[in-house]
Amino acid sequence: MRNYFKTIIYLIVFASSFAANANDYDDFFRAARADNASGMKSLLAKGFDPNTRDDKGQTALLIAMREPSPKVIEMLIAFPKTNVEARNSKDESPLMLAAIKGQQELVTKLIARDADINKPGWTPLHYAATSGQVAIMKQLLDKDAFINAQSPNGTTPLMMAAMYGSAAAVQLLLEEGADVAMKNEQGMTAADFAERGKRPDAIALLKAAAQPQQPKRPADGKW
């Protein structure tokens, strides 16, 4: 009989613990979506794992960046146990999402947390170049981002800037030494991307960069 009661008590405690954990799980992702920083702080203080994923495989940081939930984003980036490199199903990192949205303050904080600037495949520089975020591009390049990084299909940041970004983004990459002759798996160069995107400004910059540099005549006119 004693063992019977022990078993019943154990089951009650287990059921209560399971229900509490389930509630914490729901509350955690609800806080991320609602930008409830105090609720998030309370759960983290209780020991809830900040890297838990929801039923769609998303972490709270990724969810907060999608909403956006700025107070929760700040809290999660600052929390030491948060894995700022946890990626979504498209292999996008928080740094990539901040880069394409032009969120330079978040980019700075993520880099300070050792976010991967040169992750394999699509990179933060690709994403910044795609939306013409010149200041963030400079920041990434100053942190040794690979200027000719290739995506899984061989696309470079220059190609993305040429088709989707801005003339200033193309100019920056050219000034920093991006290779205009590189081709992706379809054999397309950055100039081809600019043509496809109907970007006359980018086409002109890329054509000029592809021209061989003529030696300058000395001041006295003699060679």
Side-chain angles (χ1 to χ4, degrees), residues 16-197:
S16 299
S17 175
F18 180 82
N21 288 337
N23 289 337
D24 285 351
Y25 179 89
D26 292 337
D27 290 345
F28 182 71
F29 292 107
R30 192 177 296 116
R33 291 189 295 270
D35 201 21
N36 181 357
S38 61
M40 179 68 67
K41 183 178 181 179
S42 176
L43 287 164
L44 294 176
K46 286 171 60 177
F48 196 91
D49 182 359
N51 305 308
T52 301
R53 292 181 182 267
D54 68 3
D55 57 357
K56 296 180 181 178
Q58 297 270 49
T59 66
L61 179 54
L62 290 166
I63 290 170
M65 295 192 71
R66 180 194 67 201
E67 288 300 324
S69 297
K71 290 182 286 187
V72 167
I73 292 170
E74 296 280 348
M75 178 174 293
L76 288 171
I77 292 177
F79 193 66
K81 293 183 179 179
T82 302
N83 176 11
V84 299
E85 266 306 297
R87 301 168 192 163
N88 63 20
S89 60
K90 298 178 182 177
D91 197 40
E92 295 171 322
S93 67
L95 181 56
M96 293 167 71
L97 298 178
I100 200 169
K101 293 178 181 179
Q103 297 169 319
Q104 190 165 12
E105 185 176 346
L106 291 184
V107 168
T108 300
K109 291 180 178 181
L110 287 163
I111 291 175
R113 284 290 317 277
D114 293 325
D116 194 352
I117 292 172
N118 289 312
K119 64 178 282 296
W122 294 101
T123 68
L125 185 58
H126 280 100
Y127 272 44
T130 298
S131 59
Q133 305 295 342
V134 175
I136 291 175
M137 291 168 66
K138 289 179 179 177
Q139 187 175 9
L140 293 169
L141 290 167
D142 286 344
K143 293 292 183 178
D144 300 320
F146 298 152
I147 196 167
N148 294 315
Q150 292 181 284
S151 74
N153 66 4
T155 300
T156 66
L158 181 60
M159 295 172 190
M160 297 303 289
M163 188 167 183
Y164 303 107
S166 63
V170 173
Q171 184 67 47
L172 172 64
L173 291 169
L174 292 175
E175 289 174 352
E176 293 291 329
D179 189 343
V180 298
M182 288 182 71
K183 298 180 180 181
N184 69 359
E185 287 183 353
Q186 288 73 46
M188 295 177 62
T189 64
D192 295 325
F193 271 76
E195 291 279 1
R196 178 173 289 184

